[in-house]
Amino acid sequence: SLRRVPIRRRRHATAAARAMIYYDNTDWLGIVCRYTGTVWQRVWPLALLFMVFATTIYYCQVQNIMQGSSQGHTIFGSTMSFLLVFRAISASNRYWMGKTCLTETFWELRTVVMMMCVTCKGGNANEKWRSQKTRATEDVNDIKATMARVNCVRLVLAYAVSLRLHTRIAIDGFVQGRISGEQKKMVDSDRIRLRGFLTRQEFEHINELVPIMGEDHITSGASALSEDQIDRVLMSDYSDSYEVDTTLDMRQPLAILMFLRLEIIKHMNELHGWRDRFAAAMMAACDRLSDEYEEMTMLITTPMPFPYVHLCKVMLVCMLLTMPLATDASDGFFSTVFMPGVLAFSLLGIDAIATELSDPFGTDCNDLDVTGRAAALESECLMFLDLCGDPGAIQAFQTYTLNSEDIPVDDARCPTEFLCLRREVSFGAKVGQNSSVVCATSSTASLFGARLGEATKRTSTQTQNTKTAKIRKDPPRMRSP
């Protein structure tokens, strides 16, 4: 039986692949001499241009073409440094705020899954597992509990994927109205994963909330997700840019959160489900998820105030242009060219750091790894199902392994396989090694229909046998005439 489907990461990522940078803080030489992932990648053209400009001014002063002065530049430099450092601190606060929101989001998702696994009563088999950790024959309530767990897990995982999709295009798409071809490919990859968790009807509702204009239907309205559809979507040629409708509308994470709320209420106070007090706790977790979503959306779509950023840029340009003029060639090349160049590099680096940290949900090396967190959550959910003694719920999922050509971006954090629901896919040769090929069906009842029918028949037989045994033990007495 399938215990757990591990979510593996890419092992063949190139050296230039985007990934979170980990380093040894005591390795001074390695940190100082590193180029990849540093501000050098962003500021070296401007720093080199400044050095050429400063060298030219120094040569002109040596040839007595012009004269410089070192007076009056100290206060200007201090003001410029204060503005840039304050901007960097504000950007750092935004970054850590985004990290806190993301951490709490996945903590709440994990809490919902654990509460659902623990508090879902089930039937005879679930009771046997909780008390003795042994398997027993499933009854109707056990199968209904499995259906409830599967639905909640798939919606939780769908919410995590939709959150990644939303953060990709929240600013460029929903605000500015245009995304690049690379962003479109990543969005299509996320929608493919969503289709593996949602029913056809649910996906149609969600897909309408991604208003990319002039595109073909991502799955062509097919009743199940197939390998040909995945290859067609991820291997197709993309344009340079795509237009996105910026009309204010509901976004897909909130719609999936609504599906999850309905699923929680559906099984509340049922014989196989959870009590109302546990449902209230899960609904409270959904409320906190909604709050975290709103905070992340506001963080992405609300940049630093433009007048402040404009002032920082203008002051930085003015300082870089006037710094070589406020030097004296008699102080030597080191003091008039090299030292101002170091100062220019530091100021440009602080500005680059502030720009990178202002959006913590991008795809740069130091941005937050939402994709990796979603992949880890898939493995955790399967482990939760295994620990609560529900192998049938685990068997409802399977993995699909991507080819190296199908991976949207050269990102070492992007997993090479993703989890999907058996009933929503019709995969062939690319199904994960722990999964078997199954035919897609249209609903949870169809997935568990045979087992539910057998359990119902078995329960009816046991009930009839119990009644028969009771009649034989206590036969009815004949009334006296």
Side-chain angles (χ1 to χ4, degrees):
S1 63
L2 178 63
R3 283 182 54 84
R4 184 165 60 98
V5 181
I7 305 300
R8 295 185 291 272
R9 301 292 186 88
R10 293 185 64 185
R11 299 180 182 274
H12 57 278
T14 62
R18 292 191 288 263
M20 180 64 70
I21 299 175
Y22 298 97
Y23 55 91
D24 183 5
N25 204 26
T26 61
D27 184 12
W28 280 74
L29 182 62
I31 294 177
V32 172
C33 297
R34 184 184 178 97
Y35 174 77
T36 304
T38 65
V39 295
W40 275 115
Q41 291 180 297
R42 293 177 177 267
V43 306
W44 74 263
L46 292 176
L48 180 61
L49 181 62
F50 176 83
M51 291 293 291
V52 173
F53 177 66
T55 304
T56 304
I57 297 299
Y58 172 76
Y59 176 79
C60 293
Q61 291 182 5
V62 171
Q63 299 297 324
N64 293 322
I65 300 176
M66 59 180 299
Q67 295 295 327
S69 175
S70 59
Q71 301 297 323
H73 211 277
T74 304
I75 298 178
F76 186 78
S78 301
T79 304
M80 184 69 254
S81 301
F82 172 79
L83 289 174
L84 287 179
V85 170
F86 182 78
R87 184 188 173 206
I89 293 175
S90 300
S92 178
N93 292 335
R94 289 169 61 89
Y95 180 87
W96 290 109
M97 186 183 301
K99 179 179 180 296
T100 301
C101 291
L102 187 65
T103 302
E104 292 181 357
T105 294
F106 281 92
W107 179 76
E108 296 292 351
L109 292 175
R110 195 180 299 110
T111 299
V112 170
V113 175
M114 287 192 291
M115 288 190 62
M116 172 268 305
C117 290
V118 173
T119 61
C120 194
K121 293 182 293 185
N124 179 55
N126 281 261
E127 182 64 29
K128 193 82 169 179
W129 176 264
R130 285 192 293 266
S131 60
Q132 303 179 12
K133 292 296 185 292
T134 57
R135 304 290 183 186
T137 304
E138 294 181 328
D139 58 18
V140 175
N141 289 327
D142 290 317
I143 298 176
K144 288 183 178 180
T146 298
M147 295 164 62
R149 294 188 182 107
V150 169
N151 281 330
C152 287
V153 166
R154 70 178 181 88
L155 290 175
V156 164
L157 296 177
Y159 180 84
V161 176
S162 69
L163 189 65
R164 170 75 276 193
L165 189 156
H166 179 73
T167 56
R168 292 188 195 279
I169 61 174
I171 182 65
D172 293 335
F174 297 140
V175 175
Q176 300 178 0
R178 188 168 296 275
I179 60 175
S180 64
E182 182 180 0
Q183 287 177 307
K184 174 65 163 56
K185 187 171 184 178
M186 291 188 291
V187 168
D188 289 346
S189 174
D190 291 334
R191 287 193 286 182
I192 287 293
R193 295 185 64 185
L194 282 176
R195 182 62 185 91
F197 289 126
L198 303 175
T199 64
R200 179 181 178 182
Q201 183 179 7
E202 291 172 344
F203 179 76
E204 293 301 326
H205 289 300
I206 298 302
N207 193 46
E208 292 177 355
L209 301 179
V210 186
I212 300 177
M213 304 178 67
E215 66 165 353
D216 296 332
H217 195 284
I218 187 69
T219 60
S220 302
S223 59
L225 188 63
S226 64
E227 290 178 295
D228 294 337
Q229 291 174 345
I230 296 177
D231 293 337
R232 175 180 58 82
V233 171
L234 298 183
M235 297 295 291
S236 60
D237 296 328
Y238 287 84
S239 303
D240 294 334
S241 62
Y242 292 84
E243 187 176 357
V244 180
D245 188 4
T246 58
T247 304
L248 295 179
D249 196 1
M250 187 179 188
R251 303 309 177 195
Q252 67 277 358
L254 292 180
I256 296 177
L257 200 58
M258 186 64 184
F259 292 151
L260 181 60
R261 290 175 182 271
L262 293 174
E263 193 67 26
I264 293 173
I265 296 299
K266 177 181 177 181
H267 302 283
M268 182 178 68
N269 291 330
E270 296 290 338
L271 292 177
H272 64 277
W274 35 76
R275 299 289 181 86
D276 52 0
R277 59 179 179 272
F278 300 126
M282 287 186 278
M283 294 293 282
C286 291
D287 292 338
R288 292 190 292 270
L289 286 172
S290 181
D291 292 340
E292 299 300 334
Y293 160 80
E294 190 65 29
E295 289 188 19
M296 286 187 284
T297 301
M298 292 299 296
L299 189 64
I300 297 172
T301 58
T302 307
M304 291 284 292
F306 176 73
Y308 183 81
V309 176
H310 174 264
L311 178 62
C312 289
K313 297 289 187 182
V314 171
M315 295 289 288
L316 182 57
V317 171
C318 292
M319 184 171 183
L320 295 179
L321 291 177
T322 59
M323 189 187 303
L325 300 175
T327 56
D328 191 352
S330 61
D331 295 333
F333 181 85
F334 182 82
S335 297
T336 57
V337 177
F338 181 77
M339 289 302 295
V342 173
L343 180 59
F345 166 74
S346 63
L347 295 178
L348 290 172
I350 293 175
D351 181 74
I353 291 173
T355 303
E356 182 172 349
L357 294 181
S358 60
D359 182 15
F361 297 100
T363 57
D364 294 329
C365 296
N366 296 305
D367 288 328
L368 300 176
D369 185 12
V370 185
T371 304
R373 297 296 300 164
L377 183 63
E378 293 178 355
S379 182
E380 290 169 354
C381 288
L382 293 178
M383 191 63 185
F384 292 152
L385 294 175
D386 182 37
L387 292 176
C388 73
D390 198 343
I394 303 178
Q395 293 291 341
F397 296 94
Q398 67 181 47
T399 57
Y400 178 80
T401 303
L402 292 171
N403 292 325
S404 58
E405 297 83 4
D406 292 339
I407 298 175
V409 291
D410 192 13
D411 191 343
R413 297 171 295 187
C414 185
T416 58
E417 60 186 24
F418 62 87
L419 200 65
C420 51
L421 209 56
R422 286 179 182 269
R423 70 165 188 261
E424 299 299 335
V425 298
S426 56
F427 291 158
K430 295 183 183 179
V431 176
Q433 60 180 1
N434 292 328
S435 305
S436 58
V437 180
V438 295
C439 297
T441 55
S442 59
S443 65
T444 309
S446 300
L447 179 66
F448 296 98
R451 293 171 55 193
L452 191 61
E454 294 176 359
T456 304
K457 183 178 179 180
R458 186 165 53 248
T459 302
S460 301
T461 304
Q462 293 175 353
T463 303
Q464 185 64 31
N465 292 339
T466 302
K467 291 181 179 179
T468 303
K470 184 177 180 180
I471 292 175
R472 291 177 178 176
K473 182 178 179 180
D474 299 321
R477 298 181 179 180
M478 300 295 296
R479 292 185 178 180
S480 57

